[in-house]
Amino acid sequence: MNSALSKVTVPPVNLALKEVSPTEFTDWMSAFTLALAGNHARRPRPEDALGLGPAFPAPYPPTHGHAERACDASCGDELAKAIDSRGADNVAAVLLEPVNGTTGGAYVPPDGYLRRVSEICREREVLVIHDEVLTGLWRTGTPLASAHWDGAEPDLCILSKGLGAGYTSVGAVLVSPELAPLLSHDDADPLPAMGTMATHPLQAAACLGVLDDLESMDMDAFTARGERLGECLRALAGQAPVRDVRGLGHLYGVELAPGLLWPLMAEAEKRGVFFYPFTGAGHPRSEGLVVAPPLTSTDQDIDFLTAALADAVTALHPNG
């Protein structure tokens, strides 16, 4: 649940004034990254966060509840307030997940929200960055999650996970056609992206293979499996342990009543299925399971997974 502003300047940290070991530098960078994210349980200590953190509430109940209504596109105005309070000249970019991943469990933004975010940023000449590490490359049923809504295209998009499909660790940044010439013209400085494993042939081969497989999928059957997954999971919403079911494509969150996450995980494992837990959003923090089967799953795989989860829920509360 990222809702961070990337500032042109950050609180003063001068690493040049002292020697920093590689381990210390890695720890510092990890703390910096976690400070931008919305997972409360993983946030670094305040003294390590460099004053950074989610700068505006995401449009979901745990972080932006309304007594009288649900979140809608107008919740994007919280972003306008956040930028204007700092001054648009002091904000380089807005970073967010177009569909929430594992912090809050597959929250889907209200219709029109991402378009409103883009409008606000364009008016202020602030870039929009989408974190699609988890949601990109068909995870939500479209090539990028932002493709579910008109006018939601970002300036930059971060990909990882699905791009390498577990064969190798890899990350990539997509740049919009309008922005690309600003980065690649003859007088531009080289991008600082040439790390130890950059342009590695193994990474390139894995990515190309994954893209080939995605392009060869039967998209009608793939879409139907995602719809079947959603139907089966939403059928659980009426049972006592389950507070909410939400998601798109092959990414769903099943939110549970407090205290039932780990017992349900144990029941599911008895049935041969392991789920990723989420325990990160709001106060008190919501908790539940992320259901994200492989995109290569068959109809039989989806049936097995959903039946195992349904049995686990029933075993936990046999009387519903």
Side-chain angles (χ1 to χ4, degrees):
M1 188 175 291
N2 294 332
S3 53
L5 297 178
S6 175
K7 303 180 188 178
V8 175
T9 57
V10 298
V13 176
N14 193 342
L15 294 179
L17 295 180
K18 65 174 184 175
E19 279 199 38
V20 178
S21 71
T23 300
E24 288 176 315
F25 184 75
T26 300
D27 290 344
W28 183 81
M29 291 300 291
S30 297
F32 181 88
T33 303
L34 290 172
L36 289 173
N39 191 309
H40 297 194
R42 296 176 183 173
R43 286 188 57 76
R45 298 173 302 173
E47 58 268 29
D48 295 327
L50 306 179
L52 298 175
F56 57 97
Y60 313 123
T63 61
H64 197 222
H66 303 275
E68 71 286 1
R69 62 177 176 84
C71 284
D72 57 29
S74 68
C75 294
D77 294 339
E78 295 284 358
L79 169 60
K81 295 176 186 176
I83 295 175
D84 293 344
S85 69
R86 291 158 173 79
D89 290 344
N90 298 314
V91 179
V94 170
L95 169 67
L96 72 162
E97 293 177 299
V99 172
N100 169 241
T102 57
T103 294
Y107 276 109
V108 179
D111 286 342
Y113 176 82
L114 292 178
R115 185 187 187 98
R116 181 64 184 138
V117 166
S118 293
E119 292 170 348
I120 289 167
C121 291
R122 302 289 182 267
E123 291 167 0
R124 293 159 175 77
E125 297 185 338
V126 170
L127 297 178
V128 177
I129 303 174
H130 282 178
D131 173 358
E132 295 232 27
V133 167
L134 194 146
T135 59
L137 296 175
W138 297 98
R139 170 54 58 188
T140 68
T142 53
L144 298 175
S146 61
H148 286 286
W149 300 276
D150 292 334
E153 298 82 4
D155 298 298
L156 299 113
C157 178
I158 305 165
L159 296 176
S160 187
K161 293 189 177 178
L163 184 60
Y167 293 104
T168 184
S169 299
V170 65
V173 179
L174 303 182
V175 182
S176 69
E178 295 78 14
L179 191 60
L182 302 177
L183 302 175
S184 61
H185 63 84
D186 291 340
D187 296 329
D189 292 330
L191 291 176
M194 300 304 291
T196 304
M197 306 303 276
T199 67
H200 197 289
L202 176 61
Q203 293 175 327
C207 293
L208 291 172
V210 168
L211 293 174
D212 285 344
D213 279 356
L214 287 171
E215 290 178 358
S216 68
M217 285 196 307
D218 181 339
M219 285 300 165
D220 289 337
F222 171 74
T223 300
R225 278 193 295 274
E227 293 173 352
R228 180 175 178 79
L229 174 66
E231 290 172 1
C232 292
L233 294 176
R234 283 189 289 269
L236 300 175
Q239 301 196 42
V242 179
R243 299 179 65 175
D244 188 28
V245 176
R246 51 190 175 256
L248 291 168
H250 281 59
L251 174 65
Y252 277 84
V254 178
E255 185 174 337
L256 303 170
L260 297 181
L261 170 58
W262 304 113
L264 184 59
M265 289 273 288
E267 289 293 337
E269 286 186 54
K270 291 177 185 176
R271 292 157 176 80
V273 179
F274 180 80
F275 295 98
Y276 190 100
F278 68 83
T279 56
H283 182 75
R285 291 197 297 268
S286 59
E287 61 181 42
L289 306 173
V290 175
V291 183
L295 303 190
T296 54
S297 297
T298 64
D299 292 338
Q300 290 75 23
D301 293 331
I302 298 298
D303 290 345
F304 173 77
L305 181 152
T306 54
L309 179 56
D311 287 347
V313 169
T314 300
L316 203 62
H317 274 252
N319 297 322

